[in-house]
């Protein structure tokens, strides 16, 4: 199952679960908010926390195409049953009182819909898929582990992975340039490194290469002596086997970050953007001629262009896609100066976050022309496109924002962006958001 499908299944399952809870409680007790509303909310909280916790510890969405239908159904049923047991345990522990029929109806509604939606989604995905997405991969090192990986994909051709060759590893003679040549020639998307004794220096060179070229590098650690082969069905979550070199390569971390982005952006759009947009739109229209929003193609994850939204702060001009704004820029309108100074012009990007093309926290997206220019001037510039761009980032909350007059300014931003990508945690995101708020309150002379 692809990472994006896992995320949408997770979000859909939570929404379906909550709808079934509300429907069940309404059926037995009348209006959800009128009949013992506090107890009802407890049940919602227990159910959601239990689902999130079980997803984090058991990874129920890691279903591969090699699984039979019976195995898949059995796994999903077991997960739902365990969820029921955890919810009952929480209800008893906190001494909440619910009717057996109320709880029973929740799962009587949820379980059939849970499987029906899955089957429909997977069927439609298969029917409407125009072509199988092929991912070319290569193996570094010839050993039992690399042979197991190749055998697995040979036995599961519908996984979409196509083997493009080995690179033998010689201690002290490892060459990233050789890897680069093969990757360019074979159009490699993923590298499996199966070398247990690779030095830290060689490993870091390989990881840096992966970031710079936007190729995923998966490091397969040496299995324990008692383990003769690797169960490739679950190699991405097997204890002792590390397949991620970048934190956000891990599906679990991607799910956590996407859930936070979805909830945060939904809340912001409903409670703030719903009234901010009409007010700002009216003032923009009164201030100058032109559209309310400025929509620009910018470089997104994996360097794929996306339409980035902003409130328009300049008069309509032909240089908007090539020329950066400067402190004394005559193109900026009177209202535009205020919007840019306060960063209000960036608020429509919460719509980008909601739609999934951006994240709340990440490297700031650049216009396509600047990406092309700086990628030729700064050696590791492209690595910042390894993850989704953000509304704010480590560089911005530490004061690196606004115009980049000197190359050193951009180099510092790239260095911080790469540090963020290589050291991501959920708490790191929260810290950056907090520092961004503090920075906005204090103000910055680089904001114009």
């Amino acid at each position: 199952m692809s990472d994006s499908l896992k995320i949408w299944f997770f979000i859909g399952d939570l929404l379906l679960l909550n709808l079934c809870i509300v429907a069940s409680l309404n059926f037995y007790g009348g209006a959800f908010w009128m009949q013992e509303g506090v107890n009802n909310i407890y049940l919602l909280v227990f159910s959601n926390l239990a689902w999130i916790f079980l997803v984090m510890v058991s990874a129920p969405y890691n279903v591969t195409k090699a699984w039979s239908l019976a195995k898949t159904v059995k796994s999903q049923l077991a997960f739902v049953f365990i969820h029921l047991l955890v919810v009952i345990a929480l209800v008893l522990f906190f001494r909440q009182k619910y009717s057996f029929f109320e709880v029973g109806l929740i799962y009587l509604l949820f379980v059939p819909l849970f499987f029906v939606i899955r089957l429909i989604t997977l069927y439609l995905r298969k029917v409407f898929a125009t072509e199988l997405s092929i991912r070319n991969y290569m193996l570094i090192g010839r050993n039992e582990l690399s042979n197991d990986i190749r055998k697995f994909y040979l036995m599961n051709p519908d996984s979409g992975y196509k083997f493009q060759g080995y690179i033998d590893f010689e201690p002290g003679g490892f060459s990233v340039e050789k890897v680069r040549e093969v990757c360019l020639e074979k159009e490699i998307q993923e590298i499996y490194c199966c070398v247990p004794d690779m030095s830290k220096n060689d490993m870091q060179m390989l990881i840096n290469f992966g970031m710079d070229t936007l190729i995923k590098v998966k490091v397969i650690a040496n299995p324990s002596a008692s383990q003769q082969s690797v169960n490739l069905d679950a190699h991405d979550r097997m204890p002792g086997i590390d397949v991620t070199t970048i934190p956000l390569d891990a599906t679990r971390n991607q799910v956590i970050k996407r859930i936070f982005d979805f909830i945060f952006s939904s809340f912001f759009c409903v409670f703030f953007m719903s009234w901010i947009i009409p007010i700002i739109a009216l003032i923009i229209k009164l201030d100058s001629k032109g559209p309310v929003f400025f929509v620009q193609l910018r470089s997104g994850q994996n360097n794929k262009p996306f339409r980035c939204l902003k409130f328009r702060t300049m008069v309509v001009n032909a240089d908007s896609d090539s020329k950066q704004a400067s402190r004394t820029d005559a193109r900026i309108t009177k209202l535009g100066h205020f919007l840019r100074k306060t960063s209000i012009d960036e608020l429509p990007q919460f719509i980008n976050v909601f739609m999934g093309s951006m994240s709340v926290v990440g490297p700031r997206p650049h216009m396509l022309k600047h990406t092309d220019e700086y990628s030729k001037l700064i050696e590791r510039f492209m690595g910042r496109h390894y993850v989704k761009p953000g509304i704010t980032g480590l560089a911005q909350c530490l004061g690196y924002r606004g115009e980049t007059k000197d190359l050193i300014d951009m180099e510092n931003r790239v260095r911080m962006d790469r540090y963020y990508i290589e050291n991501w945690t959920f708490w790191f995101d929260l810290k950056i958001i907090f520092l961004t708020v503090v920075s906005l309150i204090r103000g910055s002379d680089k904001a114009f």
Side-chain angles (χ1 to χ4, degrees), residues 188-202:
I188 301 296
Q189 282 89 39
E190 290 190 13
I191 297 172
Y192 286 85
C193 181
C194 308
V195 181
D197 54 351
M198 181 178 282
S199 69
K200 289 184 178 180
N201 182 56
D202 287 341

Side-chain angles (χ1 to χ4, degrees), residues 280 283-284 287 312-313 333-340:
I280 300 297
I283 301 175
I284 288 175
D287 182 58
R312 181 174 59 83
T313 59
T333 63
K334 292 180 180 179
L335 175 63
H337 282 288
F338 171 75
L339 295 179
R340 299 175 75 92

Side-chain angles (χ1 to χ4, degrees), residues 219-230:
V219 179
I220 314 295
N222 190 30
S224 62
S226 61
Q227 184 182 332
Q228 298 301 316
S229 62
V230 178

Side-chain angles (χ1 to χ4, degrees), residues 49-250:
L49 288 180
W51 193 273
I52 294 170
F53 172 75
L54 290 174
V55 166
M56 294 178 67
V57 299
S58 63
Y61 301 110
N62 283 352
V63 177
T64 72
K65 295 181 179 181
W67 285 30
S68 65
L69 179 61
K71 182 179 179 181
T72 303
V73 171
K74 182 180 178 180
S75 168
Q76 300 296 290
L77 273 176
F79 179 82
V80 174
F81 180 70
I82 293 171
H83 178 261
L84 171 61
L85 295 180
V86 173
V87 170
I88 292 174
L90 289 172
V91 167
L92 294 175
F93 181 80
F94 288 97
R95 298 180 180 178
Q96 299 298 312
K97 295 182 179 179
Y98 300 99
S99 163
F100 168 80
F101 295 102
E102 283 179 326
V103 178
L105 182 59
I106 291 172
Y107 288 89
L108 191 62
L109 292 171
F110 176 70
V111 173
L113 292 173
F114 174 79
F115 282 102
V116 167
I117 291 174
R118 260 171 174 64
L119 291 173
I120 292 174
T121 303
L122 293 173
Y123 175 75
L124 291 177
R125 182 168 173 259
K126 183 177 181 179
V127 169
F128 291 105
T130 55
E131 60 180 10
L132 181 65
S133 177
I134 300 297
R135 294 188 66 81
N136 294 327
Y137 77 96
M138 60 179 286
L139 297 165
I140 297 180
R142 288 177 183 262
N143 50 41
E144 187 175 358
L145 186 55
S146 60
N147 289 336
D148 283 344
I149 293 173
R150 189 181 179 193
K151 286 176 185 176
F152 173 78
Y153 287 127
L154 284 173
M155 293 172 63
N156 296 277
D158 59 343
S159 64
Y161 281 77
K162 185 177 180 181
F163 178 65
Q164 294 292 347
Y166 289 98
I167 288 186
D168 292 323
F169 177 77
E170 299 177 5
F174 180 69
S175 171
V176 170
E177 287 306 315
K178 185 176 181 180
V179 176
R180 186 188 304 274
E181 290 175 7
V182 175
C183 287
L184 289 175
E185 180 185 352
K186 303 292 186 178
E187 298 183 352
I188 301 296
Q189 282 89 39
E190 290 190 13
I191 297 172
Y192 286 85
C193 181
C194 308
V195 181
D197 54 351
M198 181 178 282
S199 69
K200 289 184 178 180
N201 182 56
D202 287 341
M203 184 63 67
Q204 190 59 52
M205 288 171 58
L206 184 61
I207 292 170
N208 287 337
F209 166 76
M211 284 190 64
D212 296 339
T213 56
L214 307 179
I215 295 173
K216 291 189 181 298
V217 175
K218 297 185 177 183
V219 179
I220 314 295
N222 190 30
S224 62
S226 61
Q227 184 182 332
Q228 298 301 316
S229 62
V230 178
N231 176 7
L232 280 248
D233 259 5
H235 72 263
D236 58 336
R237 52 190 163 89
M238 193 172 192
I241 296 183
D242 177 21
V243 300
T244 61
T245 56
I246 303 299
L248 284 172
D249 275 348

Side-chain angles (χ1 to χ4, degrees), residues 371-388:
T371 297
D372 183 58
E373 291 176 352
Y374 284 118
S375 64
K376 298 173 182 176
L377 298 173
I378 300 175
E379 182 181 359
R380 295 182 177 175
F381 180 84
M382 293 305 295
R384 65 192 307 278
H385 300 106
Y386 196 86
V387 298
K388 288 181 183 178

